[in-house]
Amino acid sequence: MRAALEAAGFTYDAVAGLLGPRAHEALGRNETTPALRRTAEPSPLATLTRLFLLQAAVPADAAGRALPGLVEELEHAGFLRTSGGEARALLDVRPYATETDDLWVVSDLTPGLDGPTGRVPDYHVLGVSPSATSLAQLTMREPVGRALDLGTGCGVQALHLAAHAGSVVATDINQRAVWMAGFNAALNDIATIDTRTGWFFAPVADESFDLVVTNPPFVISPDRSGRLVYREAGLPADDVVSHVVRHAPDHLTDGGWAQVVANWLVVEGRPWDERVAGWVPDGCSAFVVQREVLDPAAYVELWLRDEGLHGGAEYVARYDAWLGWFDEQSVEGIGFGWVNVHKSEHDSAYLDWPYAVEQPVAPAIRDWAAAVTHPFSEHDRLTLRVDVLQETTGEPGAEDPETIVLRQQRGLRRARRVDTVEAAVAGACDGDLTVGQIIDAVAALTEREPAELRATYLPVVRDLLVEGFLTV
């Protein structure tokens, strides 16, 4: 199969080029009509695109030319079905591009193309989802010895990890997902991925890893039978994420990282960061970013549509029961974001940041860890990061601006309001003078006591370093 996909040139860039920007963007919205118009010519690339991505019937002889000698075997294996001289896909086979490689990912068919989604099977294996992409962009890509992809699904994260880990273990409770992850490893000629079936950390009970990544079934819903295993773990409230954050460090080497894409409850009377911080074990530190908070009603609507129930007979009853359950829990909202747990004791950070960030965001997490563990002192020679801009507002001609804001153009793209002394110190950080020397110079210019300014502003300079405005 790999040879056939290679021969057809079935890569992400080739498909994007064949479809063109408009049809490619429409397919991202689950609309196939523009792409069908662009793939009428019966080339192997067009045939595979129509068959696997657009879920359209193709002539059986065209399928045979695109997959020479494979149609009968693929039909027997459940990849496609032939009837009446046509072939239809039963699984999604999708080209996927990482930073370094062209890969293919097999999953269940994308639901909801060109219309309402039917009821998704309980053991549906999701393809490359937005949350999977979010985790891939969050994951730090430094070389590691062993990595764990917990709840692997179709194995997307494991494929990424294999490029920079000596060995990868990929686990899932869904045996169908484990089979697909193993097939995807073989399809991409990767021998370092070990797939295992089991609940949470049970398949790796006595093992340790340098890096654990997971996009767990974090959807927060009432406990019920018939749950969708790719999104719901059956544990109450946000206990699935709590469980992962509490126990992942048991399987980390010293200095290792667990990186999680997650939902959590925002409960009346308790700050969200306090709730999440309570999950981080002793001996560990965390960098947590809340990317958005959804209203409970919007959250329920999102996941009922995902399940294919919108407009169906169950919709209103399920909607009402779900909202009632949230009310019982005093839920004000549902947070979505990133939890990064470091098996190392140092300061933690909890950031509410719904604004645009540079992707991949992983280097910003890595740089934060380096800065927060740096033994900062007044003898450091720091540099203002080249992408940091200063914004001022105030009346024209005024001696001092009303506000000064330092704003990053890269990474997390943070913004920080500063006073005139902070702005002066940051602006003078070019690596030539020590922090202490710069503060003393500002003290002389402002006719203030150097010792007073050092006591006040050395902690501020460290904050600017940790938040990424300054670098060592």
Side-chain angles (χ1 to χ4, degrees), residues 144-149 158 161-162 164-170 191-194 196 207-211:
V144 294
R146 301 190 76 216
L148 171 64
D149 177 13
L161 291 170
H164 63 99
S167 63
V168 180
V169 176
T192 55
I193 298 175
D194 174 13
R196 306 179 191 176
E207 299 178 52
S208 296
F209 301 87
D210 306 299
L211 177 62

Side-chain angles (χ1 to χ4, degrees), residues 194-389:
D194 174 13
T195 57
R196 306 179 191 176
T197 304
W199 178 257
F200 287 108
F201 296 100
V204 293
D206 301 316
E207 299 178 52
S208 296
F209 301 87
D210 306 299
L211 177 62
V212 174
V213 302
T214 181
N215 173 24
F218 56 65
V219 174
I220 301 169
S221 64
D223 187 19
R224 63 184 178 87
S225 60
R227 69 184 187 276
L228 302 178
V229 296
Y230 73 86
R231 72 177 206 188
E232 296 161 304
L235 298 180
D238 46 17
D239 282 6
V240 61
V241 178
S242 169
H243 180 83
V244 169
V245 173
R246 292 177 192 276
H247 294 286
D250 296 338
H251 302 276
L252 287 176
T253 57
D254 290 341
W257 285 88
Q259 299 189 271
V260 188
V261 172
N263 276 175
W264 47 78
L265 294 179
V266 180
V267 179
E268 182 180 351
R270 187 179 188 188
W272 72 270
D273 52 343
E274 180 183 295
R275 181 182 185 88
V276 177
W279 302 339
V280 180
D282 292 341
C284 295
S285 310
F287 187 91
V288 183
V289 182
Q290 182 167 265
R291 295 290 292 146
E292 65 176 326
V293 178
L294 277 182
D295 172 81
Y299 188 81
V300 174
E301 292 163 14
L302 169 68
W303 293 112
L304 287 177
R305 283 190 175 92
D306 175 76
E307 196 172 343
L309 295 181
H310 188 261
E314 299 179 58
Y315 183 76
V316 173
R318 286 280 305 282
Y319 196 156
D320 183 64
W322 205 330
L323 280 184
W325 182 76
F326 277 146
D327 287 343
E328 291 171 3
Q329 312 295 317
S330 301
V331 174
E332 294 183 334
I334 297 89
F336 169 82
W338 310 319
V339 181
N340 303 275
V341 180
H342 191 197
K343 195 167 185 180
S344 177
E345 288 193 88
H346 51 74
D347 293 345
S348 294
Y350 295 84
L351 178 64
D352 197 348
W353 194 249
Y355 310 106
V357 301
E358 182 184 29
Q359 295 289 7
V361 74
I365 310 301
R366 176 200 62 209
D367 292 346
W368 168 82
V372 79
T373 55
H374 173 72
F376 173 76
S377 80
E378 64 181 66
H379 303 295
D380 280 334
R381 299 175 187 271
L382 304 181
T383 303
L384 184 68
R385 215 168 73 181
V386 295
D387 63 295
V388 174
L389 299 180

Side-chain angles (χ1 to χ4, degrees), residues 6 42-43 82 108 137 139 142 163 175 180 195 207 222-223 276 327 336 340 377 380 400 415 421 462:
E6 287 176 343
S43 67
T82 60
D108 279 323
Q137 293 169 328
T139 302
E142 281 69 35
Q175 289 185 332
M180 284 191 187
T195 57
E207 299 178 52
D223 187 19
V276 177
D327 287 343
F336 169 82
N340 303 275
S377 80
D380 280 334
D400 293 314
V421 173
R462 182 180 184 273

Side-chain angles (χ1 to χ4, degrees), residues 36-193:
L36 288 168
R37 292 173 60 85
R38 297 278 299 185
T39 54
E41 181 182 343
S43 67
L45 177 60
T47 296
L48 293 176
T49 301
R50 291 174 76 94
L51 178 65
F52 290 122
L53 303 187
L54 309 185
Q55 299 178 23
V58 301
D61 58 348
R65 289 192 295 273
L67 299 163
L70 284 172
V71 170
E72 185 176 341
E73 288 189 62
L74 289 174
E75 186 169 16
H76 179 72
F79 279 72
L80 51 82
R81 179 180 62 244
T82 60
S83 177
E86 292 184 329
R88 281 190 176 274
L90 300 177
L91 292 176
D92 187 302
V93 180
R94 185 167 298 261
Y96 181 70
T98 70
E99 299 86 347
T100 56
D101 299 300
D102 284 315
L103 305 172
W104 300 279
V105 176
V106 174
S107 67
D108 279 323
L109 293 174
T110 302
L113 289 186
D114 298 316
T117 304
R119 177 68 167 82
V120 178
D122 294 347
Y123 285 84
H124 179 84
V125 179
L126 201 63
V128 185
S129 66
S131 57
T133 301
S134 180
L135 179 57
Q137 293 169 328
L138 176 68
T139 302
M140 288 179 277
R141 299 298 174 196
E142 281 69 35
V144 294
R146 301 190 76 216
L148 171 64
D149 177 13
L150 184 73
T152 188
C154 66
V156 174
Q157 308 306 326
L159 296 177
H160 277 282
L161 291 170
H164 63 99
S167 63
V168 180
V169 176
T171 71
D172 205 290
I173 193 173
N174 183 354
Q175 289 185 332
R176 180 174 171 78
V178 172
W179 174 83
M180 284 191 187
F183 183 88
N184 285 327
L187 180 61
N188 291 287
D189 199 22
I190 297 173
T192 55
I193 298 175

